[in-house]
Amino acid sequence: MLVLWCPDWPVVAAGAAAGLAVDAPAAVVAANRVVAVNAFARGEGVRRDMRRREAQQRCPDLAVLPADADRDARVFEPVAAAVEELAVGVEVVRAGVVAVPAKGPSGYFGSEAAAAERLIDQVAARTGAESQVGIADGLFAATLAAYRGLVVPPGGSAEFLAPLGVHELPDRAELVDLLRRLGLRTLGAFAALEPADVASRFGADAGYAHRLARGLEQRPPSRRRPPVDLSVSHVPDPPIDRVDAAAFAARTLGERLHDHLATHGLACTRLAIHAATGTGEELLRLWRCADPLTPSGIADRVRWQLDGWLRGPHRPTSGITLLRLEPEEVVDGHALQLGLWQGGHDEGAERAGRAMVHVQGLLGPEAVVTPTVGGGRSPADRVTLTPWGEERPEPEAPEPPWPGRLPTPSPATVPAIPVQVSVTDRNGQEVGVTGRFALTANPDEVRTPDGTTHRVIAWAGPWPADERWWDPKTAHRRARLQVLLAERSEEDGQGALLLVRENEKWSVEGIYD
C-alpha cells in the first residue's frame, strides 16, 4: 500500500478556512484541550493534549481554532482528487490520509520512490499542501511509514514495525496502557505473543491489534469509483442491426464520452459497453486498455464490439435499441498507464495493438492472450495466459519449493493436447510406474500413434508429482520421464521427449529441440 499523509491536517484545514497565514503558530482545540498543533506552535512548546490556557501561556501569539471534522474532510477532498489523477483506486482513510495500491503508480513511474516523489509534487502543485508518502505491506504499516517518509521493502513490514512503541496502535489507549504494565512496550514484543493467547486473554479487538503489530491486515482498501454520471448512452432509431449503422453510432458515442470525460480532466482506461435489444437481451463487454482511450480508440472498441455482437455466432435476435458506455476506471487526462509493450509507443506497436483489440472484439477477450512465466512443476503449469489488455498477474515464485519440478532445460514445444504414445522394454512389454514411482523396466522403444517406432538410447527420471491429493476432483498423480531417441536421419538428428505417465497411460508432454 502507498499512503500519502498531510501533517497536521486539522490545523491546515482550519487555518485555510479562517484565512490564517501558513507560518502562524496555530492549534485546534476541543473541550479546552489541544487536539492538533502545527510545527510553528510546536517550536514554542505547544503539544497535543495540553490545556488551552497552558498552550497560550507558552505561545501568546497562538491562533486557537475550533475542531470541525466536516470542515477537515471538505477541505481535504482536493488532495484526494489530486492523488486520484495519478493513481486509480484511492481510499480516503481519514481527513489528511489517503491510501492507494502501490503497484500501479510504482509500475508506471518506474519505482516506488519515484511514485512517492511524483505524488508529493502533484499534491503540492494542485493544492499547495505539504505531504509525505510511505509504502509498506498493509495500510497500518504504510501509514506509520508515511509518518517517517519511508519505503519499506516488500515483506519487511513486520521488521519495520517491531522496534516501534505500542502507542502507535490507533485508538487503543486502554490496551496500550495494559501492554506497558505487562512489560510489552514495542510492537515486536506484542507481535511475539501467540494469536490464540492474545484473543483469549484480551479479547477480539486486541486480536485485531495483534494482527496489525505483526504487519497483517484485515481488509483490502475500499476504492473510490468514478461517478455514475460519467456514462453516456444512445437510443438508436431505427435499432442497430447493420455494421455500417454500428460504425456511425460508435463514432458519435465515442466522441461524446471523450468530451464528457475531458470536461472533468479525466480519461478512460477501462470501458464497459452495454447494449440492449428489442427482445430484452442484455449484452455487456468490459475492455481494459493499456493507455487512456482517445475518441478514435473508444469508437474503435465500440465498433469492433458491435461488429462482434452482430456478426458473431451468438448474435442477438433483434436490433440493438440501447447503447451505453460507462467508464469503469479513469485516470488524469494527461497521464499514461504503463504500456504492455515495454519498447514504447511506436507506430508498429500501435498497429499491432489495434489489430489484437479488433480480434478480441470479434472473438472475445480470450482470443488474444499474453504469457507470464512463473513457477510450477510441468511446462504447462509454469505459463499463465492473460487476455490482451488486462493486467498480468504476479507469477508464482520460480524458485523452490517445487517438489517434483522438471530440471532445466524446458521443452521447446508443449502440445496443446498431449499425444498418446506407448513405451516398451526390450521384450516388447509396456513400461509402467509402480506405486513408489519406480519404472517397472528400462524403456527401449517409444511408439507414436502413426505406428512409428523410435529407439531410446538414454533416459532420465522418473520425477513423481502427487498434486492436490486432498481434492479427489482435481487430484493428479503422475510421473514424468525424459527420453533421448536414436538418430533417425540427417535432417532429424537426435530427438528428446518429455513423457508423462498418468492413469496407466503414456503421453508426450513436451518436445526438446
Side-chain angles (χ1 to χ4, degrees):
M1 293 295 296
L2 182 152
V3 169
L4 183 138
W5 168 63
C6 295
D8 310 322
W9 183 254
V11 181
V12 174
L20 194 67
V22 295
D23 58 349
V28 172
V29 175
N32 283 323
R33 284 196 177 274
V34 175
V35 295
V37 58
N38 63 7
F40 303 100
R42 280 194 295 271
E44 300 293 332
V46 180
R47 297 290 183 268
R48 288 186 58 184
D49 294 328
M50 187 176 287
R51 297 189 64 84
R52 172 177 177 171
R53 180 175 299 178
E54 182 182 358
Q56 290 176 319
Q57 288 176 346
R58 295 196 178 191
C59 181
D61 297 331
L62 181 70
V64 177
L65 304 170
D68 187 346
D70 293 339
R71 173 204 60 209
D72 297 346
R74 182 177 63 254
V75 179
F76 188 66
E77 179 58 27
V79 176
V83 175
E84 204 165 29
E85 290 178 1
L86 298 183
V88 178
V90 171
E91 175 188 6
V92 178
V93 180
R94 62 177 183 274
V97 179
V98 294
V100 62
K103 182 179 180 180
S106 63
Y108 172 65
F109 293 113
S111 67
E112 294 176 339
E117 183 178 356
R118 180 62 184 273
L119 286 174
I120 291 173
D121 294 342
Q122 170 81 356
V123 170
R126 296 284 185 176
T127 67
E130 296 182 357
S131 61
Q132 293 182 189
V133 167
I135 301 177
D137 296 330
L139 180 61
F140 175 64
T143 302
L144 297 186
Y147 296 160
R148 296 157 176 81
L150 299 176
V151 175
V152 180
S157 292
E159 182 179 357
F160 161 69
L161 294 172
L164 303 183
V166 292
H167 66 276
E168 300 285 2
L169 293 171
D171 303 323
R172 289 176 172 83
E174 293 184 2
L175 176 62
V176 169
D177 180 65
L178 176 59
L179 293 177
R180 284 175 170 171
R181 286 187 282 114
L182 293 175
L184 304 173
R185 300 185 177 276
T186 65
L187 293 177
F190 183 37
L193 300 179
E194 289 295 330
D197 295 340
V198 173
S200 61
R201 171 63 177 83
F202 303 115
D205 185 67
Y208 175 60
H210 186 250
R211 287 180 56 85
L212 298 181
R214 292 157 56 203
L216 305 176
E217 292 297 318
Q218 192 175 35
R219 66 172 183 87
S222 176
R223 299 184 179 184
R224 293 160 57 106
R225 292 181 58 86
V228 295
D229 59 356
L230 291 179
S231 62
V232 297
S233 59
H234 172 60
V235 180
D237 187 18
I240 298 175
D241 56 3
R242 304 189 319 274
V243 175
D244 57 346
F248 177 78
R251 183 171 62 253
T252 303
L253 205 56
E255 292 176 353
R256 282 179 53 196
L257 177 60
H258 185 271
D259 293 342
H260 190 42
L261 292 174
T263 60
H264 293 81
L266 300 173
C268 179
T269 58
R270 197 162 176 252
L271 176 68
I273 303 175
H274 301 259
T277 68
T279 55
E281 295 171 285
E282 296 285 341
L283 306 174
L284 171 64
R285 177 61 56 80
L286 198 63
W287 291 84
R288 183 185 294 274
C289 314
D291 297 333
L293 288 170
T294 62
S296 61
I298 298 175
D300 284 343
R301 282 156 178 81
V302 177
R303 174 168 53 85
W304 295 334
Q305 188 56 63
L306 292 178
D307 191 9
W309 280 336
L310 295 175
R311 293 185 177 182
H314 305 290
R315 59 178 60 89
T317 57
S318 63
I320 294 175
T321 58
L322 174 64
L323 187 62
R324 186 174 78 255
L325 305 183
E326 184 173 336
E328 293 285 330
E329 287 184 2
V330 293
V331 295
D332 173 56
H334 302 288
L336 288 177
Q337 297 295 314
L338 183 64
L340 292 175
W341 285 27
Q342 304 296 325
H345 302 280
D346 57 19
E347 184 178 353
E350 183 176 353
R351 287 200 308 269
R354 288 169 61 86
M356 294 176 184
V357 172
H358 193 180
V359 173
Q360 285 182 314
L362 296 174
L363 304 179
E366 290 77 15
V368 182
V369 294
T370 53
T372 301
V373 180
R377 294 178 177 85
S378 70
D381 293 341
R382 296 191 59 195
V383 179
T384 301
L385 299 179
T386 306
W388 171 262
E390 294 190 6
E391 184 179 13
R392 300 186 190 184
E394 288 291 336
E396 295 281 356
E399 297 302 322
W402 286 109
R405 183 181 65 171
L406 278 177
T408 56
S410 298
T413 304
V414 178
I417 300 177
V419 180
Q420 297 292 328
V421 296
S422 62
V423 181
T424 58
D425 59 14
R426 290 184 177 182
N427 299 322
Q429 300 296 318
E430 183 180 17
V431 177
V433 178
T434 68
R436 294 182 177 273
F437 291 104
L439 296 179
T440 57
N442 294 339
D444 184 68
E445 288 184 342
V446 175
R447 182 182 298 273
T448 58
D450 60 3
T452 306
T453 300
H454 308 279
R455 190 169 62 87
V456 176
I457 60 176
W459 55 275
W463 292 278
D466 193 359
E467 301 172 289
R468 302 188 64 83
W469 47 266
W470 59 89
D471 186 358
K473 295 182 179 180
T474 60
H476 289 287
R477 183 178 174 86
R478 59 184 70 169
R480 294 182 174 87
L481 182 71
Q482 290 174 334
V483 295
L484 180 63
L485 306 180
E487 185 175 358
R488 299 187 298 275
S489 67
E490 295 182 358
E491 292 79 9
D492 293 340
Q494 288 182 335
L497 301 177
L498 172 63
L499 306 178
V500 60
R501 176 79 170 182
E502 185 174 10
N503 297 326
E504 298 184 353
K505 295 181 180 179
W506 288 101
S507 60
V508 178
E509 194 175 34
I511 303 172
Y512 297 91
D513 286 343

